Amino acid sequence: MPYRATTEDFQFLFDHVIGYDQIAATDLFTEASPDMAQAVLSEAGKMCEEVLAPINRNGDLTPAALKNGVVRTSPGFDQGYKAIADGGWIGMAADPEYGGMGLPLTLQTAVNDMMSASCLSLQLCPLMTQGQIEALEHHATDEIKALYLPKLITGEWAGTMNLTEPQAGSDVGALSSKAEDNGDGTYAITGQKIFISWGDNDITENVCHLVLARLPDGAAGTKGISLFLVPKLIPDADGTPGARNSLRVVSLEHKMGLHGSPTAVMSFEGARGWMIGEPHKGMAAMFTMMNNARLGVGVQGLGAGEGAFQQALDYALERKQGRSPIENGSGTIADFADVRRMLTQMRAELYAARSMSMSLAMAIDMHRATGDAEWKARAALLTPIVKAYGTEVGINVSNMGVQVHGGMGFIEETGAAQYFRDVRVTAIYEGTNGIQAMDLVGRKLMDGGEAAFRLLDEIESGAEAARGQHPIMAEAVWSAAETLRETTEWMTEQTDMQDRFAGAVPFLMGFARVLGAHFHLKSAIAEGGKGKRTELARFHINRLLPEHASSLAQARCGAAGLYTLSTEDLAS
């Protein structure tokens, strides 16, 4: 069943919801006009439809494999990657000084969304490289930039990030990897890293690893960690890959999904590396890459959900069963109320998540272009919401996709289950969704909720403006925003962080419900009150938004009730 690029959604969001014209009006992005954006989306959409989508099943049926120490990628992935690299899609937002296009991250995010929907396993490779490009742009020396960025931007070289270790998990500060000064401006990196996405491949001429390790005088915890660039093949001054570095792929993980993406256990055995940023401040440099990746992973989630939705919709429109319950029905299962409910919910959730991701990308672009601190605060607030909600949407939508298929969804040949298996990990990597929620109620409310309250002011102002055209939907959104405001105030008043953390996930999901309704309402107003987006908004606001109340009620329960049952009680 063919994938259809969601360019129409992006164009509507750009023109009527997020205000892309504000980005194009800045001096930094003056060449990225709305017309250019439309052309970029169109070309990227064609590549996703014609090149990437046809190879998606290959990754699942013929996984990446480690053979004689070399990672062999899935059939067709070499041509898919070549199309991505040759099209310039990796370096869209990169610095033109090193060969990038210098386009807004908003456009790059839209393209990543479509690539995720068409072939998530392959899209993960350029996503990692994009994050490395940004980290090097901000923290590397001029010499490192000049040598590595042009190759990463063209896609000749790929980038990875190496954080996790077997004993450390999400507690990065517990890492044991070591770095020792070689005395010549390089360092010897020793240690083992796990869960390294695209840790090696046979489709690029080099793989460049960003590795966290500790210098001999590094303090315990995250404050003593440094960041190093460790290439698979050490390049000469002209950028020609030379001698192999002292690193290797120990094994590839056998995973639930994402079979086409090689997830490696990496061993660094005195490998030669170059420090990125300052000593003992590696986490700050790595977070440049991780924040980019958190937006990217949220988009991966909703992108995979889009692929699952499209396949489920196509199946529902073909599968004939029973007598149609509606007059002039198609005779397919799409006529049945519960199937129609699932399909509409899938569409509504995806549109809400896509709106949020575009809004976050725009905030990042506007801060970069203007330096305005409010845009920076907006981006920081939205990052954990977009990562967590986007991936939860992807999981829930792909799960419903299996359900729409009925028994055939449980049969691997249909491909419906692949979307669920592929997307499930997105709620785990780049910081689990629980960690994202803790970040939201912790660091992101350290301003007393100022950034959150500014966003709530916008939501309520939008609802007030909509009362004349859509009084019922407007009232529902305004009332939900008030409940969210009260819960945010409650969160900021809690001095015991355990009370915040206990309700962090429901708070984030309640926030996302309200924010999604806001974007749906904006879309209905922009459409003029009639049309498919208005009906989708009505579905979301009438049927999904009410969930915010139970989520926010949970958020205010505090931590005490979580510990009244002992672990022994839970086990008995």
Side-chain angles (χ1 to χ4, degrees):
M1 297 178 184
Y3 165 72
R4 300 172 293 280
T6 49
T7 52
E8 182 185 345
D9 261 8
F10 290 119
Q11 202 61 57
F12 189 89
L13 288 169
F14 285 6
D15 294 344
H16 303 293
V17 179
I18 69 165
Y20 178 86
D21 57 325
Q22 295 180 68
I23 299 174
T26 64
D27 292 339
L28 182 61
F29 298 119
T30 185
E31 295 183 5
S33 67
D35 286 344
M36 174 187 277
Q38 185 175 16
V40 166
L41 292 173
S42 177
E43 287 302 309
K46 289 178 184 177
M47 177 195 66
C48 292
E49 291 174 346
E50 298 172 4
V51 182
L52 300 189
I55 62 174
N56 186 44
R57 283 294 281 160
N58 294 357
D60 197 50
L61 299 176
T62 309
L66 182 62
K67 298 179 180 179
N68 300 319
V70 178
V71 172
R72 301 299 184 187
T73 50
S74 302
F77 274 35
D78 54 346
Q79 292 304 308
Y81 182 82
K82 185 176 188 300
I84 295 169
D86 289 352
W89 305 118
I90 298 173
M92 289 180 64
D95 191 339
E97 181 180 349
Y98 300 100
M101 294 185 186
L103 293 174
L105 180 63
T106 304
L107 269 178
Q108 179 177 285
T109 300
V111 172
N112 284 346
D113 182 332
M114 293 188 287
M115 288 199 293
S116 298
S118 52
C119 190
L120 181 58
S121 285
L122 180 56
Q123 188 271 340
L124 192 52
C125 181
L127 179 69
M128 292 293 95
T129 302
Q130 288 169 349
Q132 186 170 120
I133 288 168
E134 186 175 19
L136 295 183
E137 284 180 344
H138 283 84
H139 301 287
T141 64
D142 289 342
E143 291 78 13
I144 291 290
K145 290 179 185 178
L147 182 59
Y148 283 84
L149 284 176
K151 298 288 190 178
L152 292 166
I153 287 169
T154 61
E156 294 171 76
W157 297 355
T160 75
M161 62 177 179
N162 292 243
L163 291 80
T164 311
E165 298 185 5
Q167 79 291 343
S170 296
D171 183 11
V172 179
L175 65 77
S176 60
S177 293
K178 300 181 298 182
E180 297 181 348
D181 194 340
N182 288 327
D184 60 357
T186 68
Y187 295 80
I189 313 300
T190 302
Q192 186 177 93
K193 300 289 183 175
I194 62 173
F195 303 154
I196 309 308
S197 297
W198 283 89
D200 193 23
N201 69 75
D202 58 357
I203 58 179
T204 65
E205 67 175 18
N206 205 358
V207 180
C208 308
H209 302 280
L210 279 179
V211 184
L212 289 177
R214 199 183 310 276
L215 293 166
D217 60 343
T222 56
K223 293 182 179 179
I225 296 174
S226 300
L227 180 65
F228 302 88
L229 180 61
V230 187
K232 172 183 172 181
L233 303 175
I234 299 173
D236 62 21
D238 296 325
T240 302
R244 186 178 180 90
N245 214 340
S246 301
L247 57 88
R248 63 190 176 93
V249 177
V250 176
S251 63
L252 296 184
E253 302 290 0
H254 298 279
K255 301 173 296 183
M256 174 181 174
L258 282 182
H259 295 152
S261 170
T263 302
V265 175
M266 298 295 303
S267 177
F268 297 88
E269 300 156 353
R272 192 176 178 192
W274 286 258
M275 185 178 291
I276 304 300
E278 299 179 34
H280 317 310
K281 295 185 178 180
M283 283 302 294
M286 183 62 92
F287 260 105
T288 302
M289 184 174 187
M290 289 175 67
N291 282 328
N292 176 296
R294 285 172 176 172
L295 166 59
V297 171
V299 166
Q300 283 187 326
L302 76 95
E306 180 67 41
F309 163 68
Q310 291 191 18
Q311 176 159 327
L313 177 61
D314 288 348
Y315 181 82
L317 292 172
E318 294 175 359
R319 173 64 168 162
K320 293 182 182 292
Q321 187 169 333
R323 180 179 298 177
S324 176
I326 60 175
E327 187 176 355
N328 298 319
S330 65
T332 67
I333 62 171
D335 292 345
F336 292 97
D338 189 57
V339 174
R340 188 64 66 91
R341 173 193 62 81
M342 287 189 286
L343 293 171
T344 310
Q345 180 171 342
M346 293 162 83
R347 183 76 173 89
E349 295 269 37
L350 291 166
Y351 189 78
R354 186 163 289 126
S355 300
M356 290 179 211
S357 68
M358 291 298 100
S359 183
L360 168 55
M362 176 185 173
I364 295 171
D365 283 330
M366 290 302 293
H367 173 251
R368 182 181 168 201
T370 68
D372 190 320
E374 288 193 10
W375 283 116
K376 182 178 182 180
R378 172 68 57 88
L381 177 71
L382 289 177
T383 294
I385 298 174
V386 166
K387 194 278 180 182
Y389 179 66
T391 57
E392 292 293 340
V393 164
I395 292 167
N396 294 336
V397 166
S398 60
N399 183 41
M400 279 189 280
V402 172
Q403 190 71 17
V404 169
H405 282 75
M408 293 305 297
F410 202 66
I411 304 301
E412 285 289 353
E413 282 78 1
T414 65
Q418 179 186 344
Y419 290 105
F420 180 78
R421 291 186 286 100
D422 283 356
V423 78
R424 184 59 185 84
V425 72
T426 61
I428 299 171
Y429 60 30
E430 299 310 329
T432 67
N433 287 357
I435 289 174
Q436 302 304 317
M438 292 166 67
D439 177 49
L440 176 62
V441 301
R443 291 187 185 91
K444 302 306 161 58
L445 294 185
M446 286 178 66
D447 62 355
E450 184 178 337
F453 293 136
R454 280 199 300 269
L455 181 54
L456 285 168
D457 289 343
E458 289 182 25
I459 294 172
E460 291 185 351
S461 295
E464 289 288 357
R467 287 188 184 276
Q469 195 171 9
H470 294 292
I472 296 175
M473 288 198 290
E475 173 58 28
V477 173
W478 188 91
S479 178
E482 274 296 289
T483 304
L484 178 55
R485 184 184 297 275
E486 292 165 3
T487 307
T488 304
E489 290 170 348
W490 182 91
M491 280 288 178
T492 62
E493 292 166 0
Q494 306 312 303
T495 55
D496 186 340
M497 293 307 293
Q498 277 290 85
D499 287 327
R500 295 196 193 191
F501 293 159
V505 169
F507 177 75
L508 185 149
M509 297 310 294
F511 206 127
R513 274 282 175 251
V514 177
L515 191 55
H518 165 63
F519 287 122
H520 272 289
L521 183 58
K522 285 188 72 172
S523 298
I525 295 298
E527 194 177 48
K530 291 183 179 180
K532 62 181 181 181
R533 300 186 193 281
T534 301
E535 293 307 315
L536 199 64
R538 188 169 284 114
F539 178 94
H540 186 282
I541 292 169
N542 290 344
R543 297 172 187 262
L544 303 182
L545 177 59
E547 294 176 3
H548 84 280
S550 61
S551 293
L552 297 179
Q554 289 183 63
R556 296 191 296 270
C557 285
L562 294 180
Y563 297 92
T564 53
L565 285 173
S566 67
T567 53
E568 290 79 8
D569 291 334
L570 292 173
S572 62

